[in-house]
Amino acid sequence: MKEIEFINAKLNREQVQVPKFLYKYRPFDKYTFDMFDNEYVYLCPAENLDDPSECKVDFTIQDIYDLQTNSLTFKGIDMILEFIKPHCNEENFQQLKSRVYRVLTTDGVAKGQDLLEVYFDMQGIIPDEPLVALINQLRNIPEKIDEPEGREIFEKMFELAYSARKDLGICSLSELKNFDEMWWNYADGAKGYCIEYDMSTYEKLSLLYPVVYQDNRETNITTNILGAFIGELIFGISNGQIAADKSQFMRLFLTKDEKWSYQSEWRLLGDARQRLQAPQISAIFLGKYMVEQDKQKIIEYCKNHNIRVEQNL
């Protein structure tokens, strides 16, 4: 399943297979037994993510549409086509995509009159009236963004998305048990511990999302704001028959660079700094370099609470 389809399916709460166990690597610190006793996980602000390139804001609107010619760029058209794709069969979508790409100028900018020509072709390829009307209206999107009302909406979206880096909290979990790089990077060089959570009875699964790894990520705030804005325009143009893509802002927090794919990460999302109810602890693994005093404290805790404890070798 492609990345956009995968995340949309999750947002629509369709069935996505969650692993029976997920793992949290941690240093041994002053919060360890507070978390155990009060049965919570901490949601770290998104701005403190380990990948500094996540949720960047150095992307420019110019990459989506050309401000000088007031025309959509190739990337802008491609983004819109992704909104249309779920409403076409594959054959019709490929015909639509091919026809739209053919009217793009050599510099990657689509002119309004060129896009208008696509309208007539679409009547034969996609008879659904809202979709045909949508193609006819594509040329108006840059103008809509430049209108005072559109600009105000766009700015509000930008403010919300930018503040989300501070306001949205994330607890990162992994499918990997006893994985050396995870021990080294997230458990104080294996001086910490790893919690095995049983997800089979967890009441907060609706807040759990898998991370998607890709080279060309969709984690840029400006890109996602424009995508959400275009989604709202498409919703209006199609008289509400084509819903806006709700995954736009979610992709800010659910995609990472391919170099992090070894983590096999899942994320619990909620308010930043929230103490969210934790899944049931089924086991605790002790780091191979754990200080003996810390090790004995966890062993004693596990004994008193009937939790399996294992030594990482």
Side-chain angles (χ1 to χ4, degrees):
M1 187 181 296
K2 291 186 178 179
E3 178 262 350
I4 179 63
E5 295 169 335
F6 187 79
I7 292 180
N8 276 336
K10 188 62 181 170
L11 289 175
N12 292 333
R13 310 320 309 171
E14 294 179 10
Q15 188 63 37
V16 175
Q17 188 64 41
V18 176
K20 178 174 173 56
F21 299 108
L22 289 175
Y23 300 88
K24 180 68 176 177
Y25 293 80
R26 291 201 75 256
F28 186 94
D29 57 21
K30 63 181 181 180
Y31 300 107
T32 293
F33 291 107
D34 185 54
M35 292 176 62
F36 291 166
D37 290 334
N38 293 294
E39 301 178 343
Y40 71 85
V41 292
Y42 179 72
L43 301 188
C44 178
E47 63 180 349
N48 295 338
L49 295 172
D50 55 11
D51 182 357
S53 65
E54 290 192 70
C55 309
K56 292 173 66 176
V57 292
D58 60 357
F59 192 89
T60 66
I61 300 299
Q62 188 82 4
D63 291 324
I64 299 295
Y65 70 88
D66 192 302
L67 295 173
Q68 293 183 336
T69 62
N70 207 29
S71 302
L72 286 168
T73 65
F74 182 91
K75 187 176 180 68
I77 291 291
D78 201 47
M79 181 181 290
I80 295 168
L81 289 175
E82 285 300 315
F83 283 96
I84 300 173
K85 185 174 183 179
H87 305 276
C88 312
N89 63 46
E90 184 63 26
E91 181 181 358
N92 285 351
F93 179 75
Q94 291 304 323
Q95 290 185 59
L96 165 62
K97 188 174 182 179
S98 176
R99 184 66 183 93
V100 171
Y101 284 1
R102 281 202 301 271
V103 302
L104 294 176
T105 62
T106 54
D107 60 355
V109 176
K111 305 299 183 183
Q113 187 59 38
D114 293 332
L115 289 172
L116 182 58
E117 293 175 9
V118 179
Y119 171 82
F120 300 104
D121 287 350
M122 289 307 98
Q123 295 181 69
I125 297 175
I126 306 174
D128 191 328
E129 183 177 348
L131 289 173
V132 177
L134 171 60
I135 298 298
N136 186 34
Q137 294 292 331
L138 291 184
R139 68 188 191 281
N140 296 326
I141 289 179
E143 287 87 345
K144 291 286 186 182
I145 293 175
D146 271 344
E147 290 175 358
E149 182 179 354
R151 176 61 61 179
E152 182 180 356
I153 295 173
F154 189 85
E155 289 174 353
K156 286 181 179 179
M157 286 184 172
F158 191 94
E159 182 179 352
L160 287 171
Y162 190 78
S163 63
R165 295 185 70 238
K166 295 182 177 6
D167 299 337
L168 187 122
I170 292 173
C171 175
S172 295
L173 304 172
S174 173
E175 297 180 27
L176 303 175
K177 176 175 69 173
N178 284 338
F179 192 73
D180 285 345
E181 286 193 60
M182 299 295 286
W183 278 110
W184 186 259
N185 293 331
Y186 301 104
D188 192 20
K191 293 193 290 289
Y193 58 97
C194 173
I195 305 171
E196 179 182 82
Y197 286 120
D198 185 344
M199 309 304 294
S200 60
T201 59
Y202 188 40
E203 297 178 1
K204 302 293 185 180
L205 285 182
S206 62
L207 304 178
L208 181 68
Y209 297 86
V211 169
V212 176
Y213 302 95
Q214 57 185 50
D215 291 329
N216 182 23
R217 293 166 300 154
E218 297 292 344
T219 57
N220 183 276
I221 287 178
T222 308
T223 309
N224 284 272
I225 293 169
L226 188 57
F229 186 84
I230 290 173
E232 293 299 326
L233 289 178
I234 289 175
F235 182 80
I237 290 169
S238 66
N239 297 317
Q241 296 186 49
I242 302 177
D245 181 359
K246 297 180 181 180
S247 76
Q248 288 296 324
F249 289 148
M250 297 299 290
R251 268 181 272 168
L252 288 170
F253 308 104
L254 295 178
T255 58
K256 294 183 72 172
D257 193 282
E258 188 69 31
K259 70 179 182 179
W260 301 97
S261 61
Y262 74 90
Q263 298 177 339
S264 298
E265 183 180 352
W266 290 68
R267 288 178 169 179
L268 284 166
L269 303 182
D271 295 333
R273 300 178 181 83
Q274 178 183 0
R275 294 184 171 191
L276 186 70
Q277 174 191 336
Q280 181 69 39
I281 298 176
S282 57
I284 296 179
F285 297 85
L286 307 176
K288 65 172 67 176
Y289 303 122
M290 197 172 197
V291 174
E292 187 63 30
Q293 182 180 356
D294 298 340
K295 182 187 301 185
Q296 291 305 317
K297 288 180 181 178
I298 288 188
I299 291 174
E300 183 67 21
Y301 180 89
C302 289
K303 180 180 178 181
N304 293 335
H305 292 80
N306 196 29
I307 296 173
R308 188 175 89 256
V309 61
E310 295 187 21
Q311 176 68 57
N312 176 40
L313 300 177

